[in-house]
Amino acid sequence: MLELRFSSGVLFLWLVCCGLVPMVKSGIGVNWGTISSHRLKPSTVVDLLRENKISKVKLFEADSDVLRALMGSGIQVMVGIPNEMLPLLSSSTAAADLWVRQNVSAYVGRGGADIRFVAVGNEPFLSSYNGQFENLVMPAILNIQQSLVKANLGGYIKLVVPCNADAYQSSALPSQGAFRPELTQIMTQLVQFLNSNGSPFVVNIYPFLSLYNNGDFPQEYAFFEGTTHAVQDGSNVYTNAFDGNYDTLVAALVKLGYGQMPIVIGEIGWPSDGAVGANITAAKVFNQGLINHIASNKGTPLRPNAPPMDVYIFSLLDEGAKSTLPGNFERHWGIFSFDGQAKYPLNLLLGNKELKNARNVEYLPSRWCVANPSSDLTNVVNHMKLACSVADCTTLNYGGSCNEIGEKGNISYAFNSYYQLQMQDSQSCDFDGLGMVTFLDPSVGDCRFLVGVTDKGSDSSTSQTTYQWWILVLVMILHGTFWLSM
């Protein structure tokens, strides 16, 4: 068995080196998340994608408004199924049939959305889930695959499972990579399925998190600019965390006998705010370095001249309503701000030298809520807590772009964030007389006081609403009262 595992990896490298494996240019795509308090119209976002010649997009759920906007765009789509739906889809073929019909079949076809992949779960093997979803993944995949076949889509739409990089591990060197022991069996089943159906292995790699979570992690090793902390692995030398992490996965796949399996990077990026090390400069350097590295077609030491099949940058837009449990930076991964404005120059190497901003964004009037200078702000703490419990104040924290604007600046920022979230309702700037509306932009340096957008018709409750609807479907199916002919 060891000989077979070794030979499959060596064979892949030999075929590449001999030119017998065709060199395919990696596709650059983006993750489009929608957990935002100020959500752009989907049609505006699709126009933004097309303006920037981005031809691949990954969605975390089957949002009907988003899928309708993508119809006829020519953009290739990966549609996600949230982890919360895995219990239902793994236990009911009827539910799987319904999901495919309503979220895939309804949008594909002539002039429809170009759905290429369905992502079953999102990092379902994450160690922090304590195995909650592990035994649901394969049954869900098999049910969805069966449903795609019934819909005559089984040969065109591929199923994948985006995995966090913690699914595999290494004691020290990439060549020693292996899947976590408790995942060996299910990973073997998964890669067998992927291989038999022509699907890639999808992995999310975050050098930023390695740096953020480990004070001893060499900062320059997280980037692509060279390092004095290179990792020597036999004859192979690693100068950046991405290559090392990627080849750890390659080694893990080789150990299962699938060293030739194509790999897609489902998420990778760098946040621009909300923590030390999360800033505009670092985000630009990392993302441009990543794009240049992938475009060079150099590959990695274990896969020379064979870069990932596709790379999806995380993320397209900031998502101001995301959970901050991992860190305040979670709301600041976008290469564009929430309103579709480029944060920094970035050449995606897709035809434009720089990012192009979203057009025709419908903003609220140019006015802001700030602390009233004539008021006694002694008792403002509770008002700030209220504002920041609802609105996004993460840039005020240590390492954030608004961390050094002073006490009154902090108060004004919190007040304004709440005011914009409430669509500039006059009462939302009262705060017992402590707030006032101004028409002078209070932004200071890199600290931007936002003005909201007018599209209140779409909000961040979509995922929860969808999940609740599917729970209702489950109850009805179990009671035999749901007609699939609806």
Side-chain angles (χ1 to χ4, degrees), residues 22 94 173 202 256 306 351 374 397 474:
L173 303 174
V202 179
L256 295 185
S374 61
N397 293 288
L474 173 61

Side-chain angles (χ1 to χ4, degrees), residues 43-235:
S43 58
T44 302
V45 180
V46 171
D47 288 342
L48 176 66
L49 293 170
R50 297 179 74 174
E51 279 287 316
N52 286 282
K53 302 182 180 180
I54 298 171
S55 61
K56 298 174 185 285
V57 68
K58 178 169 165 280
L59 310 176
F60 292 94
E61 63 180 346
D63 185 307
S64 58
D65 292 334
V66 170
L67 288 171
R68 276 195 293 267
L70 285 164
M71 293 177 70
S73 67
I75 297 171
Q76 297 178 13
V77 183
M78 181 185 295
V79 179
I81 297 176
N83 292 332
E84 291 79 8
M85 291 187 183
L86 295 181
L88 170 59
L89 296 175
S90 65
S91 61
S92 171
T93 57
D97 289 345
L98 179 62
W99 189 91
V100 167
R101 186 166 71 251
Q102 293 197 335
N103 299 295
V104 179
S105 299
Y107 299 101
V108 300
R110 188 183 298 273
D114 188 6
I115 299 175
R116 299 292 184 95
F117 297 98
V118 171
V120 182
N122 183 40
E123 300 185 337
F125 307 120
L126 198 65
S127 57
S128 60
Y129 290 147
N130 297 314
Q132 179 181 356
F133 303 109
E134 285 177 16
N135 295 325
L136 304 176
V137 173
M138 287 310 301
I141 283 179
L142 295 175
N143 284 346
I144 293 293
Q145 178 65 23
Q146 184 181 41
S147 299
L148 288 173
V149 171
K150 291 178 185 177
N152 296 317
L153 295 170
Y156 182 74
I157 297 176
K158 305 298 183 182
L159 299 184
V160 296
V161 179
C163 294
N164 187 279
D166 82 341
Y168 49 89
Q169 57 193 13
S170 172
S171 58
L173 303 174
S175 62
Q176 298 174 359
F179 289 106
R180 298 201 319 261
E182 71 272 21
L183 294 180
T184 300
Q185 182 177 359
I186 191 171
M187 280 298 176
T188 301
Q189 296 171 352
L190 175 60
V191 296
Q192 286 174 345
F193 174 87
L194 297 175
N195 184 66
S196 64
N197 287 276
S199 298
F201 191 100
V202 179
V203 63
N204 302 337
I205 296 177
Y206 283 105
F208 170 78
L209 295 181
S210 299
L211 179 64
Y212 179 79
N213 292 320
N214 185 354
D216 296 326
F217 193 88
Q219 180 170 329
E220 68 269 21
Y221 189 65
F223 296 87
F224 300 88
E225 312 302 307
T227 179
T228 58
H229 295 81
V231 174
Q232 187 81 36
D233 186 356
S235 60

Side-chain angles (χ1 to χ4, degrees), residues 31 37 45 74 87 97 103 113 170 172 176 212 218 230 232 283 290 321 346 374-375 378 387 409 430 434 449-450 465:
N31 287 269
S37 304
V45 180
D97 289 345
N103 299 295
S170 172
Q176 298 174 359
Y212 179 79
Q232 187 81 36
L290 168 70
L346 184 66
S374 61
S375 297
T378 304
D430 181 58
L434 301 181
F449 280 60
L450 64 85
T465 301

